[in-house]
Amino acid sequence: MEKILEVRDGCFSYAKGRPLLQNINASLDGGQVMAVMGRNGIGKTTLIKCIVGILSWDSGYSTVAGRQSQRNRPMKEIGYVPQAHRVSFDYSVRDMVVFGKAGHSSFFAAPSRGDYELADRMLYKTGIYELRDSPCNELSGGQLQLVYIARALINEPKLLVLDEPESHLDFRNQIRLLKLIQGVAAEQSIACILNTHYPNHALRIAQRCFLLGEGDYITGDTKQVMTDANIQKFFGVVSHSVEFQYQGETVTSFSFLDEG
Amino acid sequence: MKTTHHAGYRKTMLLGFILLAGAAVAGISLGKYGIHLPELVAIFSAKLHGSVDRSMEIAAFVIFNVRIPRIILAAMVGAGLSISGSALQGTFQNPLVSPDLLGVSSGAGFGAALGILLTGGLGLFTPVLSLLAGLMSVLLVFLLAGTKKGGGTLSVVLGGIIVSSIFSALISLIKYVADSSETLPAITFWQMGSFANVTYRDIGIAFIPIAGGMLGLLLLRWKINLLSLGDEDCFALGINPHTTRWLVILFATLTTAGSVTVAGVIGWVGLVIPHICRRLVGVNHGHLLPASALIGATFMILVDTAARSLTSAEIPVGILTALIGAPFFAVIYRRGRKEG
């Protein structure tokens, strides 16, 4: 498998003398999904913003598909899905997806008919084709999240980065979204990074897990990283995991019992 | 692939061009010196064939030296203010923004007032000074907002408020020291906004900033869509929000400063026309900007024609746009809320 993402000795701090991220090293191949986990305010979103190039590393660097990401130079190879949010102007779903093309076309270009057809295909792929003419602000949170994913996929990115994609979604939509991410990664061998607060979700779709703590982190195979011991260490929570069989596969599920 | 949305855009643009032509014809024939349509046709064909009959000389002078330059300028200013309004509303993610948000009008107003004070408003000095001061006001906003970590919409708006109030104070100062029998009325009239006594020279002065700025905004119209989604989405979609935003501001400022320089302060057009156009063609700035220019030009010709034909003494057009624009805005805003 082709190596898509590489982070080398990445350090970042918002204020001098209070480092948030220290010596981050990670890599991800095409087709792999990595779940970034950790407590609130520990720097998960900061980490993915550094990788995307919205923030720049204080030292160290990251490369995507062999190219070093730089601040203020958004890369076409990265599809970034921000947390679903409402916007001031009520664009149609189709327009919103076509906007994915607008940024990387030449500076003064207008989207072509081909771009709109591509947008329709993305909407079909994400399962919201029937909503294509709806105004974005009338969609539910789950539908809106899918629009943003369609928008990110329109440029055929090598790396898909999602910021807490399943927050604010109901169970059913959470499962649909996870299956979509899983499918996109496997079929198009896109590397995916997602921030999540749910170990069960990480276990379900991510081969790799990045567990971020204060000044340290562990990364590796999700099954080895996601243990009751690590949850106690990194989240301060007593948990209990159980294994059971579903459709011939072993599923691990965590229950959270107490802080401590 | 066609959607109802695109069909609406094409239809609106076609209808807009017909309306614009109609408004231009109305603007040429209506007024204190009424010119009937047959006479109008006769004069135009005579002009084309070279010589104008003596009996038509006055009418021909009114048409070619008074009304046509006036209509051209009104169209340019209407289109310019409306497209700037649309572009800035998108860029600042706020549909209540108007083209003089960043103090352009106050800056250009200060330049004009100073010009009138120093030279009585004759010659090229006043308009050029006004244009430069308008552009300088945004340069000051740029310096105040900073480029390091700032440049966010909030610091830009704040900079606009500061610069705007400084220039307003300076205008008051000039008015205070101005000669109250001649200079003060001239400044006051200028501020009301008017197309009276417009000449081809005014068109020459305003053409480059207005046309240049409009062209820039039209070319950037799809990027304005991205700016309207917020800075983080801009990064996600591959543009640098800071650079792009300042480009939009620069072009909108050029257009607005060009308009204020030749026509004075004409309010409400840049705020109301974008709202009307959103109803007609939707919120996509790719369609909204061309539609705003077209409808804005038509609207301004009609209002200016009304301004000089309604009463025996001409009403400054800025007063009329405010009188029409403000209630109109209240109505569409209320309707929009009910629908939403």
Side-chain angles (χ1 to χ4, degrees), chain A residues 119-132:
Chain A
D120 284 342
R121 250 180 285 155
M122 294 306 138
L123 288 169
Y124 194 77
K125 192 183 284 180
T126 46
I128 46 170
Y129 182 75
E130 69 280 8
L131 295 173
R132 58 207 253 275

Side-chain angles (χ1 to χ4, degrees), chain B residues 111-129:
Chain B
L114 190 63
I116 293 170
L117 182 74
L118 296 176
T119 66
L122 303 167
L124 270 175
F125 183 71
T126 304
V128 170
L129 192 65

Side-chain angles (χ1 to χ4, degrees), chain A residues 187-209:
Chain A
E187 285 157 28
Q188 303 170 53
S189 54
I190 295 176
C192 286
I193 302 179
L194 71 153
N195 281 352
T196 180
H197 283 297
Y198 304 97
N200 293 349
H201 294 170
L203 283 161
R204 181 178 178 130
I205 64 164
Q207 294 82 31
R208 300 179 62 75
C209 184

